[in-house]
Amino acid sequence: MNKTELIEVISSKAKITKAEAGKALAATLDGITEGLASDGKVTLVGFGTFEVRTRSARTGRNPRTGETIKIAASKAPAFKPGKEMKAAVAVKKKGKK
């Protein structure tokens, strides 16, 4: 599912126009992004948790040359699904074979 398809689903389930659904989705994503930037964590009970994870500095290897390189420490967004989401996905997979 892509963003356009998600907007269509939101529009039909909430019985609003696609334009309103697009604005609602954009506002939700902006809120999650702002929450991660300020607090480092956004929890949606039943859905899951968005969080910022820190990756430590490490050494890697350039696959083309084999040369050792240093990879700087960084922060990356991550998602951990909630119990209800895991259960819903497991049910869909079992019935879909």
Side-chain angles (χ1 to χ4, degrees), residues 47-83:
F47 183 75
T49 302
F50 296 91
E51 61 186 0
V52 176
R53 294 186 184 156
T54 304
R55 295 181 182 170
S56 58
R58 60 198 187 280
T59 57
R61 192 167 297 276
N62 181 331
R64 183 173 289 169
T65 64
E67 177 185 353
T68 301
I69 57 173
K70 291 183 180 180
I71 302 170
S74 64
K75 292 183 179 183
F79 177 74
K80 181 180 177 187
K83 184 178 178 181

Side-chain angles (χ1 to χ4, degrees), residues 12-76:
S12 66
K13 289 193 180 253
K15 296 181 179 159
I16 57 177
T17 66
K18 288 182 185 178
E20 291 170 331
K23 288 178 184 177
L25 178 59
T28 302
L29 296 177
D30 286 346
I32 291 170
T33 302
E34 288 174 16
L36 288 175
S38 63
D39 298 337
K41 194 171 194 177
V42 176
T43 301
L44 303 172
V45 177
F47 183 75
T49 302
F50 296 91
E51 61 186 0
V52 176
R53 294 186 184 156
T54 304
R55 295 181 182 170
S56 58
R58 60 198 187 280
T59 57
R61 192 167 297 276
N62 181 331
R64 183 173 289 169
T65 64
E67 177 185 353
T68 301
I69 57 173
K70 291 183 180 180
I71 302 170
S74 64
K75 292 183 179 183

